[in-house]
Amino acid sequence: MQHTQQIACIFDLDGVLVDTAVYHYKAWKQLANSLGFDFTQLQNEQLKGVNRMHSLEMILDWGGMQKSAEEKEELASLKNSWYVAMINKMTTDEVLPGSLTLLTELKSSGIKIALGSASKNSSIILQRTNLAHFFDAIMDGNSVTTSKPDPEVFLKAAEMLNTEPENCVVFEDAQAGVMAALAGNMKVIGIGDEEHLKETHLIAKDLSEITLGKILALRNN
C-alpha cells in the first residue's frame, strides 16, 4: 500500500461533504430582504466558495447599496448569527451521498484527509454531522487570510498534513475552489454540475461516484 501513502485528500465542506449551501442562501436572502431587495439563485452560484465579507460586498453591490466598514461588519455578523442558528439544527441526514463511504475507505487505507474550507463554522458542522473524526487536519476560514481562488487554504492544509501540494487531490463544488486547487499545483475533482466547474481533472455528480481507485488513477496520471 506504499503508493497510497503519498496521496492526501483535501475536501471542501459546503456542497461536497454536507449540504449547507441552502442555509447560506437562506441567511443571505434574509439579510437582503431585510435591506429591501432580493437576489436570484443564479446570482447565489457566484457566492459559492467565497468568504463572508466578499459575499456581503457582492450582495450589497447587487442591491445597489453602499455601507460603511462598520455597517458591513454588523451585517456580516447578523447573517452569520442566522446561519449558525440554522446549522445548529443539522443532523447526519444532511451528509451528502457517498461522503461517509469514501471517507471510511480513505481512512481505512491510511490516506491523510484534510478539510480546506472558507467556512468559519466548520467545527460546528462537522460535529453536528458526525464527520469530525475522519480529519487529520482542519484548515478553514478561521486560519486563513485570503479567500479562494487564492490557494492559501489548500497549501496550508497540505502543510498540516506534512505533504507536498502535488501529492494532494482536492474535492470542490465551486469554480473559485477549483482555481485555488489548480493554482496550488494540485489535482482537483469537481463535485456537481459540469457547467459550473471548468478545468477539473475529473467531475462527479457526488462522492458516491468516486472511489479510491479513481483517485489513485488521477494522482498517477
Side-chain angles (χ1 to χ4, degrees), residues 112-125:
K112 289 182 177 177
I113 305 170
L115 189 78
S117 169
S119 173
K120 289 191 173 182
N121 300 295
S122 64
S123 59
I124 302 172
I125 297 165

Side-chain angles (χ1 to χ4, degrees), residues 16-207:
V16 174
L17 294 170
V18 296
D19 189 11
T20 49
V22 62
Y23 301 124
H24 280 297
Y25 181 49
K26 283 180 178 175
W28 281 128
K29 195 176 170 66
Q30 194 174 337
L31 188 75
N33 292 168
S34 74
L35 295 170
F37 67 96
D38 207 350
F39 62 92
T40 66
Q41 286 224 251
L42 195 63
Q43 285 173 305
N44 187 60
E45 280 293 323
Q46 296 173 49
L47 302 179
K48 281 189 176 179
V50 175
N51 71 18
R52 195 183 304 161
M53 290 311 292
H54 190 194
S55 292
L56 175 64
E57 281 161 10
M58 287 167 74
I59 289 164
L60 290 173
D61 198 40
W62 295 337
M65 304 196 88
Q66 298 286 321
K67 296 286 178 186
S68 68
E70 194 179 337
E71 286 171 322
K72 283 179 186 174
E73 287 291 344
E74 284 173 14
L75 290 171
S77 179
L78 182 59
K79 178 266 174 180
N80 190 54
S81 67
W82 290 334
Y83 173 70
V84 169
M86 291 177 201
I87 61 171
N88 265 308
K89 298 189 179 97
M90 284 180 80
T91 67
T92 51
D93 291 343
E94 284 156 288
V95 175
L96 288 168
S99 298
L100 271 178
T101 307
L102 183 60
L103 289 170
T104 304
E105 186 182 9
L106 295 174
K107 198 79 176 165
S108 64
S109 302
I111 290 178
K112 289 182 177 177
I113 305 170
L115 189 78
S117 169
S119 173
K120 289 191 173 182
N121 300 295
S122 64
S123 59
I124 302 172
I125 297 165
L126 292 176
Q127 281 161 23
R128 295 294 305 162
T129 55
N130 199 25
L131 294 177
H133 63 284
F134 286 109
F135 292 90
D136 300 297
I138 304 283
M139 187 54 60
D140 63 16
N142 298 302
S143 324
V144 294
T145 52
T146 52
S147 190
K148 300 170 188 177
D150 188 282
E152 182 190 16
V153 68
F154 295 140
L155 293 174
K156 282 192 169 179
E159 201 177 313
M160 280 183 84
L161 292 178
N162 199 24
T163 192
E164 295 302 317
E166 55 266 29
N167 295 333
C168 297
V169 177
V170 171
F171 297 80
E172 259 292 349
D173 74 318
Q175 189 60 33
V178 171
M179 300 319 290
L182 294 173
N185 194 28
M186 299 177 182
K187 289 284 187 351
V188 58
I189 296 176
I191 303 297
D193 297 330
E194 200 161 353
E195 60 181 305
H196 298 306
L197 297 162
K198 306 280 187 269
E199 298 179 60
T200 56
H201 296 97
L202 185 67
I203 198 143
K205 177 175 73 357
D206 56 43
L207 292 177

